[in-house]
Amino acid sequence: MNGMASDHNASSQEEYLPHYLQKEDPFASKLSREADIVAGFYLTVIGILSTLGNGYVIFMSSKRKKKLRPAEIMTVNLAVCDLGISVVGKPFSIISFFSHRWVFGWMGCRWYGWAGFFFGCGSLITMTAVSLDRYLKICHLSYGTWLKRHHAFICLAIIWAYATFWATVPFAGVGSYAPEPFGTSCTLDWWLAQASVAGQAFILSILFFCLLFPTAVIVFSYVKIILKVKSSTKEVAHYDTRIQNSHILEMKLTKVAMLICAGFLIAWIPYAVVSVWSAFGQPDSVPIQFSVVPTLLAKSAAMYNPIIYQVIDCKFACCRSGGLKTLQKKSSLKKSR
């Protein structure tokens, strides 16, 4: 407690004390024991499904790793981020919910906050890169002719460096990680914005570079893709079968990317809204019982992606098998003639 209190100057403490400095035990659960048990079971189910699903995606991709397209390499990286959240982060919160308090102290809180922010930022930046790839592939066809696998790996290095930088910046003294108001989880210290101008600048930088800018790129990319697809659908129908099959495959990858981005944003935007309100709204104006719901919803984001992969793959396989049957019928008619 003394170490955390020293991070805030005396004038800031006089103006506003965040919830974790107002009480002797910031890690005691503010929820009922029954609510903690329900949340613990919920996260256990989410964690198991996410670990199995993303592990399966990574395993199946490793069996054909030399044949993965650049967009598929990015998808595998997204599965790695989701698996990291499930394996590294969720056990901490599950144990704490069942224990009715955060049991890992300040060091565990900082580690948990860092890991959640690191893998979450990595997921969003990966989806940003995927959306740009889809935009360039669909709207600027010449882009696909020079894009190679090594370009995808360079992009992965940039993604991991970006996530590492922003997740580690709080440890440089310009920010921090702190317990959530309900006590059994930790996150970025959004409440610094209530304490000083420097805290507001830090939170605004995080919001812009790790949420608003990536989200704007994703929305722009898919809006342009939708407009392009509407105008070019009739043109593709006049091409030969090989070009049509290539177009179908690209659209399949685009649908996967769009659904993944939509699922991620739907899961995380409520949490982002509550966090921004905590940072810039009236101090402690967000009810504790209300703040836990967006947190649990955000933690479920890692579970959606494997389901999306399987649904799209099944549809694609059905379409592909249907197309093969049609081609087989045509060839048999030619032979009979």
Side-chain angles (χ1 to χ4, degrees):
M1 279 296 297
N2 293 332
M4 288 300 297
S6 63
D7 293 338
H8 301 268
N9 56 47
S11 61
S12 298
Q13 290 181 357
E14 290 175 2
E15 294 175 4
Y16 171 70
L17 277 178
H19 62 87
Y20 54 86
L21 292 178
Q22 294 175 1
K23 300 179 181 179
E24 294 183 359
D25 188 1
F27 298 127
S29 176
K30 311 305 186 297
L31 304 175
S32 66
R33 185 171 293 276
E34 293 76 14
D36 276 337
I37 292 175
V38 171
F41 275 115
Y42 169 80
L43 289 182
T44 301
V45 173
I46 294 295
I48 292 173
L49 293 177
S50 175
T51 301
L52 294 177
N54 288 292
Y56 175 77
V57 170
I58 295 171
F59 172 74
M60 294 303 294
S61 299
S62 66
K63 295 175 68 174
R64 50 185 294 268
K65 56 186 177 182
K66 293 183 178 180
K67 297 181 180 179
L68 291 176
R69 301 156 64 91
E72 293 173 315
I73 293 174
M74 293 294 179
T75 303
V76 174
N77 188 65
L78 186 59
V80 171
C81 292
D82 291 340
L83 185 63
I85 292 175
S86 301
V87 174
V88 176
K90 282 190 173 60
F92 284 79
S93 54
I94 290 171
I95 292 172
S96 296
F97 273 116
F98 282 127
S99 301
H100 197 49
R101 63 174 286 109
W102 179 262
V103 296
F104 301 100
W106 279 109
M107 288 298 295
C109 182
R110 295 187 184 101
W111 160 251
Y112 178 85
W114 181 90
F117 190 24
F118 172 72
F119 287 115
C121 182
S123 294
L124 183 57
I125 303 304
T126 300
M127 285 185 285
T128 305
V130 170
S131 67
L132 277 176
D133 172 76
R134 295 294 85 205
Y135 164 69
L136 294 172
K137 185 71 175 179
I138 301 297
C139 301
H140 302 277
L141 298 179
S142 60
Y143 160 80
T145 60
W146 63 266
L147 180 67
K148 306 300 180 184
R149 282 167 57 92
H150 68 270
H151 293 118
F153 290 113
I154 292 173
C155 187
L156 291 185
I158 296 173
I159 290 170
W160 287 112
Y162 192 93
T164 301
F165 173 78
W166 285 108
T168 310
V169 160
F171 293 129
V174 297
S176 183
Y177 293 100
E180 299 266 16
F182 51 87
T184 47
S185 181
C186 292
T187 184
L188 192 70
D189 192 349
W190 299 99
W191 302 271
L192 285 174
Q194 299 279 358
S196 65
V197 175
Q200 292 177 0
F202 167 70
I203 296 299
L204 287 173
S205 298
I206 290 290
L207 286 173
F208 180 78
F209 289 104
C210 299
L211 178 63
L212 298 179
F213 178 69
T215 302
V217 172
I218 290 171
V219 172
F220 167 81
S221 298
Y222 290 123
V223 168
K224 297 292 286 186
I225 287 172
I226 292 171
L227 296 175
K228 180 67 176 180
V229 169
K230 284 186 177 181
S231 64
S232 63
T233 302
K234 294 181 180 180
E235 297 177 8
V236 175
H238 295 91
Y239 294 153
D240 59 33
T241 304
R242 182 177 61 83
I243 295 177
Q244 289 182 10
N245 289 338
S246 176
H247 178 74
I248 291 173
L249 178 58
E250 294 299 335
M251 292 311 302
K252 173 218 170 184
L253 294 173
T254 302
K255 287 179 180 179
V256 169
M258 290 178 69
L259 288 173
I260 288 172
C261 291
F264 184 91
L265 293 176
I266 290 171
W268 278 97
I269 283 178
Y271 179 78
V273 170
V274 171
S275 299
V276 171
W277 183 259
S278 299
F280 299 101
Q282 293 296 321
D284 304 324
S285 58
V286 179
I288 292 176
Q289 291 76 10
F290 180 75
S291 67
V292 71
V293 176
T295 302
L296 295 178
L297 178 62
K299 293 179 185 298
S300 68
M303 180 189 68
Y304 304 148
N305 297 343
I307 298 174
I308 294 171
Y309 303 148
Q310 295 305 312
V311 170
I312 297 294
D313 278 341
C314 288
K315 289 184 178 179
F316 182 67
C318 291
C319 294
R320 186 167 50 190
S321 63
L324 287 173
K325 289 178 181 178
T326 303
L327 290 174
Q328 289 173 355
K329 287 181 180 180
K330 288 183 179 179
S331 60
S332 62
L333 284 173
K334 289 182 179 178
K335 287 180 181 180
S336 63
R337 287 175 183 172

